[in-house]
Amino acid sequence: ATHQLRTPLAGIRWSLDMLIKKNFGEMNPEQVSVLEKGLVNTERMIRIVNDILNLDKIDNDQLKMAITPGDLNVVIEGAVTDLTQQAAIKEVRIEYRKSDATLPSLPMDADKIRMVMDNLIDNAVKYSKDGGVVHISVDASKATSSSNPVVTVSVSDDGIGIPESDKEEMFTKFYRAPNARRQDPNGNGIGLFVVKSIIEGHHGNIWYESKEGKGTSFHFSLPLR
Ligand code: ADP
Protein backbone atom coordinates (compact mmCIF):
# COMPACT_ATOMS: atom_id res chain seq x y z
CA ALA A 1 0.00 0.00 0.00
CA THR A 2 2.85 2.38 0.87
CA HIS A 3 4.43 1.63 -2.50
CA GLN A 4 1.15 2.53 -4.21
CA LEU A 5 1.29 6.01 -2.69
CA ARG A 6 4.34 6.86 -4.76
CA THR A 7 2.70 7.25 -8.16
CA PRO A 8 -0.18 9.55 -7.11
CA LEU A 9 2.22 11.62 -5.00
CA ALA A 10 4.58 12.01 -7.96
CA GLY A 11 1.54 13.11 -10.00
CA ILE A 12 0.57 15.76 -7.46
CA ARG A 13 4.17 17.01 -7.30
CA TRP A 14 4.30 17.27 -11.10
CA SER A 15 0.99 19.21 -11.27
CA LEU A 16 2.05 21.68 -8.59
CA ASP A 17 5.47 22.11 -10.17
CA MET A 18 3.95 22.87 -13.60
CA LEU A 19 1.61 25.48 -12.10
CA ILE A 20 4.42 27.12 -10.08
CA LYS A 21 6.61 27.31 -13.18
CA LYS A 22 3.68 29.17 -14.82
CA ASN A 23 3.39 26.63 -17.63
CA PHE A 24 -0.38 27.23 -17.56
CA GLY A 25 -0.35 31.01 -17.23
CA GLU A 26 0.43 33.83 -14.84
CA MET A 27 -0.57 33.83 -11.17
CA ASN A 28 -0.32 36.41 -8.44
CA PRO A 29 2.37 35.98 -5.73
CA GLU A 30 -0.19 34.82 -3.17
CA GLN A 31 -1.38 32.03 -5.45
CA VAL A 32 2.22 30.97 -6.13
CA SER A 33 2.97 30.95 -2.41
CA VAL A 34 -0.02 28.67 -1.67
CA LEU A 35 1.08 26.25 -4.40
CA GLU A 36 4.68 26.32 -3.13
CA LYS A 37 3.48 25.29 0.33
CA GLY A 38 1.54 22.45 -1.30
CA LEU A 39 4.68 21.37 -3.17
CA VAL A 40 6.84 21.49 -0.02
CA ASN A 41 4.34 19.31 1.84
CA THR A 42 4.04 16.87 -1.06
CA GLU A 43 7.82 16.52 -1.21
CA ARG A 44 7.90 15.92 2.53
CA MET A 45 5.26 13.23 2.17
CA ILE A 46 7.32 11.58 -0.61
CA ARG A 47 10.35 11.53 1.71
CA ILE A 48 8.30 9.90 4.48
CA VAL A 49 6.93 7.27 2.07
CA ASN A 50 10.48 6.54 0.84
CA ASP A 51 11.72 6.21 4.43
CA ILE A 52 8.93 3.76 5.29
CA LEU A 53 9.65 1.70 2.16
CA ASN A 54 13.35 1.61 2.98
CA LEU A 55 12.62 0.69 6.59
CA ASP A 56 10.58 -2.25 5.36
CA LYS A 57 13.46 -3.32 3.12
CA ILE A 58 15.97 -3.04 5.98
CA ASP A 59 13.70 -5.13 8.24
CA ASN A 60 13.55 -7.81 5.54
CA ASP A 61 17.25 -7.59 4.73
CA GLN A 62 16.37 -6.39 1.23
CA LEU A 63 17.97 -2.94 1.12
CA LYS A 64 20.25 -3.32 -1.89
CA MET A 65 22.68 -0.70 -3.18
CA ALA A 66 23.00 -0.17 -6.94
CA ILE A 67 26.56 1.17 -6.92
CA THR A 68 27.84 3.02 -10.00
CA PRO A 69 30.30 5.94 -10.38
CA GLY A 70 28.44 9.16 -9.63
CA ASP A 71 28.82 12.89 -9.09
CA LEU A 72 28.29 13.81 -5.44
CA ASN A 73 27.95 17.52 -6.29
CA VAL A 74 24.94 16.84 -8.50
CA VAL A 75 23.29 14.80 -5.73
CA ILE A 76 23.88 17.50 -3.11
CA GLU A 77 22.77 20.33 -5.38
CA GLY A 78 19.53 18.45 -6.18
CA ALA A 79 18.74 18.06 -2.48
CA VAL A 80 19.60 21.70 -1.73
CA THR A 81 17.36 22.93 -4.55
CA ASP A 82 14.41 20.82 -3.40
CA LEU A 83 14.69 21.79 0.26
CA THR A 84 15.36 25.51 -0.21
CA GLN A 85 11.66 26.34 -0.41
CA GLN A 86 10.83 24.33 2.73
CA ALA A 87 13.65 26.14 4.54
CA ALA A 88 12.43 29.53 3.31
CA ILE A 89 9.06 28.98 5.04
CA LYS A 90 11.01 28.94 8.34
CA GLU A 91 13.31 31.69 7.10
CA VAL A 92 16.19 29.22 7.31
CA ARG A 93 18.98 29.66 4.75
CA ILE A 94 20.78 26.68 3.22
CA GLU A 95 24.36 27.35 2.18
CA TYR A 96 26.31 24.81 0.20
CA ARG A 97 30.08 25.30 0.11
CA LYS A 98 31.54 23.18 -2.67
CA SER A 99 34.86 21.41 -2.21
CA ASP A 100 37.87 23.45 -3.40
CA ALA A 101 39.31 20.34 -4.98
CA THR A 102 37.56 18.76 -7.95
CA LEU A 103 35.52 15.87 -6.61
CA PRO A 104 36.46 12.51 -8.01
CA SER A 105 33.60 10.40 -9.27
CA LEU A 106 32.39 8.27 -6.39
CA PRO A 107 31.07 4.70 -6.33
CA MET A 108 27.56 5.14 -4.94
CA ASP A 109 23.86 4.52 -5.27
CA ALA A 110 23.01 8.11 -6.21
CA ASP A 111 19.27 7.78 -5.43
CA LYS A 112 20.02 6.48 -1.94
CA ILE A 113 22.70 9.09 -1.20
CA ARG A 114 20.12 11.64 -2.31
CA MET A 115 17.77 10.21 0.35
CA VAL A 116 20.58 10.58 2.89
CA MET A 117 21.06 14.24 1.93
CA ASP A 118 17.29 14.88 1.91
CA ASN A 119 16.95 13.42 5.40
CA LEU A 120 19.93 15.24 6.91
CA ILE A 121 18.96 18.60 5.41
CA ASP A 122 15.28 18.08 6.29
CA ASN A 123 16.30 17.43 9.92
CA ALA A 124 18.70 20.38 10.01
CA VAL A 125 15.90 22.68 8.80
CA LYS A 126 13.25 21.10 11.04
CA TYR A 127 15.40 21.42 14.18
CA SER A 128 16.74 24.90 13.33
CA LYS A 129 15.43 27.97 15.03
CA ASP A 130 13.57 30.40 12.77
CA GLY A 131 16.11 32.46 10.83
CA GLY A 132 18.88 29.85 11.26
CA VAL A 133 21.47 28.80 8.72
CA VAL A 134 22.23 25.27 7.50
CA HIS A 135 25.76 24.81 6.16
CA ILE A 136 26.65 21.94 3.83
CA SER A 137 30.23 21.22 2.90
CA VAL A 138 32.31 18.54 1.23
CA ASP A 139 35.84 17.63 2.29
CA ALA A 140 37.83 15.81 -0.38
CA SER A 141 41.22 16.30 1.29
CA LYS A 142 41.45 12.58 2.10
CA ALA A 143 40.35 11.49 -1.39
CA THR A 144 43.93 10.81 -2.42
CA SER A 145 44.98 8.99 0.75
CA SER A 146 46.63 5.72 -0.22
CA SER A 147 45.37 3.67 2.73
CA ASN A 148 41.75 4.80 3.07
CA PRO A 149 40.59 7.35 0.47
CA VAL A 150 37.27 8.93 1.49
CA VAL A 151 35.12 11.98 0.79
CA THR A 152 33.29 13.49 3.77
CA VAL A 153 30.04 15.46 3.65
CA SER A 154 28.86 17.64 6.55
CA VAL A 155 25.44 19.13 7.27
CA SER A 156 25.51 21.62 10.15
CA ASP A 157 22.82 23.67 11.82
CA ASP A 158 22.61 26.13 14.69
CA GLY A 159 19.40 24.64 16.03
CA ILE A 160 18.14 22.84 19.16
CA GLY A 161 21.00 20.30 19.32
CA ILE A 162 20.94 16.71 20.61
CA PRO A 163 21.05 16.13 24.38
CA GLU A 164 24.17 14.26 25.57
CA SER A 165 21.91 11.76 27.39
CA ASP A 166 20.37 10.62 24.05
CA LYS A 167 23.69 9.93 22.35
CA GLU A 168 23.56 6.12 22.61
CA GLU A 169 20.13 5.84 21.00
CA MET A 170 20.31 8.44 18.26
CA PHE A 171 20.48 6.06 15.29
CA THR A 172 17.96 3.59 16.75
CA LYS A 173 14.73 2.94 14.87
CA PHE A 174 11.84 5.23 16.00
CA TYR A 175 14.04 7.06 18.53
CA ARG A 176 13.33 10.77 19.03
CA ALA A 177 14.97 12.98 21.66
CA PRO A 178 12.57 14.83 24.01
CA ASN A 179 13.65 18.28 22.75
CA ALA A 180 12.90 17.19 19.15
CA ARG A 181 9.45 15.94 20.18
CA ARG A 182 8.74 19.35 21.69
CA GLN A 183 9.99 21.27 18.64
CA ASP A 184 8.16 19.10 16.06
CA PRO A 185 5.64 16.55 17.38
CA ASN A 186 5.17 15.12 13.88
CA GLY A 187 8.49 13.29 13.39
CA ASN A 188 8.70 9.50 13.21
CA GLY A 189 12.30 8.59 14.14
CA ILE A 190 12.80 6.57 10.94
CA GLY A 191 15.03 8.90 8.90
CA LEU A 192 18.34 8.57 10.76
CA PHE A 193 18.00 4.80 11.04
CA VAL A 194 17.53 4.57 7.25
CA VAL A 195 20.38 7.04 6.65
CA LYS A 196 22.77 4.95 8.76
CA SER A 197 21.80 1.75 6.93
CA ILE A 198 22.40 3.40 3.55
CA ILE A 199 25.81 4.75 4.58
CA GLU A 200 26.80 1.36 5.99
CA GLY A 201 25.57 -0.22 2.74
CA HIS A 202 28.28 1.93 1.09
CA HIS A 203 30.87 0.80 3.70
CA GLY A 204 30.98 4.41 4.87
CA ASN A 205 30.73 6.00 8.32
CA ILE A 206 28.27 8.42 9.88
CA TRP A 207 28.68 10.39 13.10
CA TYR A 208 27.68 13.69 14.64
CA GLU A 209 28.77 16.40 17.04
CA SER A 210 26.20 18.41 18.91
CA LYS A 211 25.64 20.77 21.80
CA GLU A 212 22.13 21.09 23.16
CA GLY A 213 20.71 24.52 22.37
CA LYS A 214 23.67 25.40 20.11
CA GLY A 215 23.48 23.16 17.05
CA THR A 216 24.40 19.90 15.39
CA SER A 217 26.76 18.73 12.66
CA PHE A 218 26.19 15.40 10.96
CA HIS A 219 29.09 14.00 8.94
CA PHE A 220 29.28 10.99 6.67
CA SER A 221 32.20 9.62 4.72
CA LEU A 222 32.07 7.50 1.61
CA PRO A 223 35.01 5.38 0.49
CA LEU A 224 36.44 5.86 -2.98
CA ARG A 225 37.20 2.19 -3.32
P1 ADP B 1 12.49 12.53 13.02
O1 ADP B 1 13.24 13.77 12.63
O2 ADP B 1 11.32 12.27 12.19
O3 ADP B 1 12.20 12.50 14.50
P2 ADP B 1 14.94 11.09 12.43
O4 ADP B 1 15.18 9.62 12.44
O5 ADP B 1 15.28 11.82 11.20
O6 ADP B 1 13.43 11.27 12.80
O7 ADP B 1 15.76 11.70 13.62
C1 ADP B 1 15.76 11.04 14.88
C2 ADP B 1 16.03 12.03 16.00
O8 ADP B 1 17.34 12.54 15.89
C3 ADP B 1 15.14 13.26 15.99
O9 ADP B 1 13.88 13.01 16.54
C4 ADP B 1 15.97 14.20 16.84
O10 ADP B 1 15.85 13.87 18.22
C5 ADP B 1 17.40 13.86 16.41
N1 ADP B 1 17.93 14.75 15.35
C6 ADP B 1 18.20 14.40 14.08
N2 ADP B 1 18.73 15.43 13.41
C7 ADP B 1 18.80 16.47 14.28
C8 ADP B 1 19.26 17.81 14.19
N3 ADP B 1 19.78 18.31 13.06
N4 ADP B 1 19.18 18.59 15.31
C9 ADP B 1 18.68 18.10 16.46
N5 ADP B 1 18.21 16.82 16.62
C10 ADP B 1 18.27 16.01 15.54
Side-chain angles (χ1 to χ4, degrees):
T2 312
H3 191 78
Q4 286 173 337
L5 291 172
R6 279 162 57 106
T7 310
L9 282 172
I12 297 169
R13 174 168 60 181
W14 182 86
S15 312
L16 292 170
D17 201 38
M18 288 293 114
L19 288 168
I20 291 165
K21 287 185 177 141
K22 305 198 172 134
N23 285 13
F24 301 108
E26 282 301 316
M27 278 174 302
N28 65 41
E30 215 174 335
Q31 288 168 323
V32 174
S33 156
V34 169
L35 291 173
E36 278 174 348
K37 289 202 174 93
L39 184 63
V40 162
N41 280 308
T42 307
E43 279 172 347
R44 197 161 208 185
M45 197 149 39
I46 291 170
R47 280 197 294 281
I48 294 170
V49 165
N50 282 334
D51 279 348
I52 295 172
L53 286 170
N54 280 321
L55 181 66
D56 188 49
K57 285 187 187 148
I58 296 166
D59 284 348
N60 292 300
D61 214 8
Q62 296 275 319
L63 188 74
K64 304 268 185 292
M65 304 297 144
I67 308 274
T68 50
D71 186 337
L72 193 56
N73 257 328
V74 171
V75 174
I76 298 175
E77 275 170 355
V80 170
T81 305
D82 272 9
L83 282 141
T84 294
Q85 191 57 39
Q86 176 178 324
I89 292 172
K90 268 187 86 171
E91 288 176 10
V92 170
R93 224 171 54 243
I94 303 178
E95 285 187 359
Y96 172 34
R97 188 157 34 87
K98 282 192 190 171
S99 158
D100 293 336
T102 313
L103 277 186
S105 112
L106 218 66
M108 62 178 171
D109 183 329
D111 288 345
K112 297 229 168 42
I113 296 299
R114 173 62 192 266
M115 286 176 198
V116 167
M117 288 309 302
D118 284 351
N119 261 303
L120 294 182
I121 302 174
D122 187 19
N123 278 346
V125 170
K126 201 160 58 177
Y127 300 120
S128 276
K129 294 161 189 157
D130 288 0
V133 185
V134 171
H135 289 281
I136 300 162
S137 59
V138 179
D139 176 7
S141 62
K142 296 202 179 78
T144 49
S145 145
S146 54
S147 56
N148 182 27
V150 292
V151 171
T152 303
V153 180
S154 302
V155 178
S156 306
D157 63 68
D158 47 11
I160 63 171
I162 297 173
E164 187 62 29
S165 53
D166 295 279
K167 208 166 179 161
E168 296 299 313
E169 277 146 316
M170 222 53 245
F171 291 100
T172 314
K173 183 164 51 169
F174 303 135
Y175 191 78
R176 305 196 69 213
N179 63 338
R181 289 172 189 272
R182 282 194 296 276
Q183 165 105 350
D184 188 336
N186 292 317
N188 53 33
I190 296 176
L192 274 189
F193 177 72
V194 170
V195 161
K196 188 166 196 280
S197 303
I198 293 175
I199 297 300
E200 285 175 350
H202 284 76
H203 305 285
N205 284 313
I206 178 156
W207 68 101
Y208 73 85
E209 304 146 84
S210 184
K211 230 182 165 78
E212 195 174 356
K214 295 263 185 260
T216 307
S217 293
F218 274 89
H219 314 277
F220 68 86
S221 62
L222 293 174
L224 269 118
R225 296 200 203 111

